[in-house]
Amino acid sequence: MRYARIPDQAVQRLAMYLRAVLVLQDRGIWHVSSKDLAGQVGVNDWQVRKDFSYFGELGTPGVGYDLRKLQRDIRRILRLDKKRSAILVGVGNLGKAILAYGGFARYGLRIMAAFDNDPQKVGKVVNGIRIQDVSMLKRIASGKVSLAILAIPAASAQEVVDCLVDAGIKGILSFAPCPLKVPKKVRVVGIDIAMHLATMPYYLSSD
Amino acid sequence: MRYARIPDQAVQRLAMYLRAVLVLQDRGIWHVSSKDLAGQVGVNDWQVRKDFSYFGELGTPGVGYDLRKLQRDIRRILRLDKKRSAILVGVGNLGKAILAYGGFARYGLRIMAAFDNDPQKVGKVVNGIRIQDVSMLKRIASGKVSLAILAIPAASAQEVVDCLVDAGIKGILSFAPCPLKVPKKVRVVGIDIAMHLATMPYYLSSD
């Protein structure tokens, strides 16, 4: 079932709660108070309770939240309760780091194909995935894949994004340091490393 | 001079405006309307005018904003009007990608040192920077460096962060997929690639 529209900030926090829940479960912990969970994520406990109210999770006074139920609930609301595949475009150092990273599985996410425009890379196998030519992007079975990670320079980003949208990709995580134009139905999250670093000096108290 | 506290979301948008301004200037454009700038960044033009009101930038009716003045103003408010150095901890694939990336300079940012705990890497030179042992983090001249980029696994992240805080680092951009505890005076921006991707299925309209 689909829930009432949840604010983007809350969706991001829900993912952070899920991450914290997984970390706690790894430590063999089965229950957590909103206060402890808030501490893990760096928010106030009233924020935790408000966010959980989106899916009616109330916890048990004195016992707190059952982490197994919490994980199940958050996965359901974030639609991570089924396995999902993503593709990677751009297999430079960043792309290689992403292919080598094992952290996607815990969210039920899997990178099932990688693409690059460098003939030197096409055909090579990185972490068990054979790199295909970007021209093959058209062939993506949009029914099977809805997510893409973009690890390419700004220059070719929009062209590749248009191609991904045509192929039926609905969510794009982009490391290209530029704005991208997509139809309303497509979600883009941009991670511009230099720009993120550039937001920090504002907070430097002493200089 | 310091300005009134600006909301985090606005600080992030100001960095996006700055990026857009730089792109427009690269194209030889010298004036832009709030509408066109909004389109570049993907916000409404009233949002642009509201954000610019934080530093009293009003633009000229019919002419729009002078991009040179806008760039200067945004750099000043984001405290990017002086060159700043950052260090990198973790020189795996992601760290290498960061060292190879030329996009920091446009914000006046420079990675001036890199650290790793792998004896195989220490002493090697990547993109003109000699990799030092993490034990050398203590020696950072905190007066010269206030920013750090963390490209290491979760396991060792908190330990390294404590070390960075002791060394006087005030801003940390972390790719470690875990929450980090820091004193209030230290700013941490976390980029957890898998978690960011995990927020996307919620927005997938059709499945």
Side-chain angles (χ1 to χ4, degrees):
Chain A
M1 85 178 254
R2 203 75 166 80
Y3 297 83
R5 183 83 167 69
I6 298 174
D8 293 350
Q9 296 298 317
V11 170
Q12 286 177 40
R13 284 192 300 271
L14 285 168
M16 291 170 76
Y17 299 138
L18 175 56
R19 181 176 68 176
V21 165
L22 294 168
V23 168
L24 291 168
Q25 288 185 309
D26 289 345
R27 297 194 201 137
I29 297 168
W30 297 102
H31 290 86
V32 70
S33 66
S34 52
K35 192 163 180 305
D36 291 347
L37 188 57
Q40 285 278 324
V41 173
V43 298
N44 301 318
D45 47 347
W46 61 261
Q47 182 73 70
V48 172
R49 289 190 295 271
K50 181 175 187 299
D51 290 333
F52 288 1
S53 70
Y54 288 116
F55 53 97
E57 174 55 67
L58 302 170
T60 312
V63 181
Y65 301 103
D66 175 326
L67 291 182
R68 278 165 304 191
K69 180 175 188 305
L70 199 52
Q71 185 190 154
R72 213 162 47 235
D73 289 345
I74 298 177
R75 283 189 188 274
R76 190 178 66 245
I77 198 165
L78 290 182
R79 316 185 79 198
L80 294 171
D81 48 357
K82 60 176 259 190
K83 295 224 181 304
R84 295 181 187 273
S85 296
I87 59 167
L88 170 71
V89 185
V91 193
N93 281 317
L94 177 58
K96 286 202 190 92
I98 290 167
L99 286 178
Y101 181 52
F104 294 104
R106 71 206 301 207
Y107 300 107
L109 304 168
R110 183 179 68 98
I111 296 177
M112 51 80 77
F115 302 84
D116 202 286
N117 65 355
D118 178 354
Q120 301 291 325
K121 292 175 181 169
V122 173
K124 290 222 169 69
V125 176
V126 179
N127 284 74
I129 293 175
R130 184 173 303 280
I131 303 171
Q132 303 175 60
D133 187 89
V134 280
S135 64
M136 303 297 284
L137 278 175
K138 297 176 192 62
R139 309 263 191 90
I140 305 166
S142 57
K144 275 175 57 190
V145 189
S146 49
L147 303 172
I149 302 175
L150 215 58
I152 61 178
S156 47
Q158 186 62 55
E159 182 189 348
V160 170
V161 164
D162 295 342
C163 191
L164 290 171
V165 170
D166 292 343
I169 293 294
K170 298 287 192 352
I172 300 171
L173 184 63
S174 170
F175 288 88
C178 59
L180 297 170
K181 302 227 178 300
V182 294
K184 273 209 159 45
K185 66 179 199 302
V186 178
R187 172 88 178 171
V188 173
V189 171
I191 297 178
D192 182 333
I193 298 174
M195 195 178 66
H196 280 294
L197 193 66
T199 61
M200 293 195 149
Y202 175 77
Y203 299 96
L204 299 180
S205 44
S206 60
D207 66 346
Chain B
M1 84 179 254
R2 204 75 167 83
Y3 297 82
R5 182 85 166 73
I6 298 174
D8 293 349
Q9 296 298 316
V11 170
Q12 286 176 40
R13 284 192 301 271
L14 284 169
M16 292 170 76
Y17 299 137
L18 175 57
R19 181 175 69 175
V21 165
L22 294 169
V23 169
L24 290 168
Q25 288 184 310
D26 289 344
R27 297 193 201 138
I29 297 168
W30 297 103
H31 289 86
V32 70
S33 66
S34 52
K35 193 166 179 305
D36 290 347
L37 189 57
Q40 285 278 326
V41 173
V43 298
N44 303 317
D45 47 346
W46 61 260
Q47 182 73 69
V48 172
R49 289 191 296 269
K50 181 174 188 301
D51 290 334
F52 288 2
S53 70
Y54 287 114
F55 53 98
E57 174 56 68
L58 302 171
T60 311
V63 180
Y65 300 103
D66 175 326
L67 292 183
R68 278 165 305 191
K69 180 174 187 307
L70 199 52
Q71 185 190 155
R72 212 163 47 235
D73 289 345
I74 298 177
R75 281 189 189 277
R76 191 178 64 245
I77 198 165
L78 290 182
R79 315 185 80 199
L80 295 171
D81 48 357
K82 61 177 258 191
K83 294 226 182 300
R84 294 180 188 275
S85 296
I87 59 167
L88 169 72
V89 185
V91 194
N93 281 316
L94 177 59
K96 286 201 190 94
I98 290 167
L99 286 178
Y101 181 52
F104 294 104
R106 69 207 302 210
Y107 300 107
L109 304 168
R110 184 179 68 98
I111 296 177
M112 51 81 77
F115 301 84
D116 203 286
N117 64 355
D118 178 354
Q120 301 292 326
K121 293 175 181 169
V122 173
K124 289 221 170 70
V125 176
V126 179
N127 284 74
I129 293 175
R130 185 173 303 279
I131 303 171
Q132 303 175 61
D133 187 273
V134 280
S135 63
M136 303 296 283
L137 278 175
K138 299 177 191 63
R139 308 263 190 88
I140 305 166
S142 58
K144 275 175 55 191
V145 189
S146 48
L147 303 172
I149 303 174
L150 215 59
I152 61 178
S156 46
Q158 187 61 58
E159 182 188 348
V160 170
V161 164
D162 296 342
C163 191
L164 291 170
V165 171
D166 292 344
I169 293 294
K170 297 287 192 347
I172 299 171
L173 183 63
S174 170
F175 288 89
C178 60
L180 296 169
K181 303 226 179 299
V182 294
K184 272 208 162 44
K185 66 179 199 304
V186 178
R187 172 88 179 172
V188 173
V189 171
I191 298 177
D192 181 333
I193 299 174
M195 195 177 67
H196 280 294
L197 193 65
T199 61
M200 293 196 150
Y202 176 78
Y203 299 95
L204 300 180
S205 44
S206 62
D207 67 345

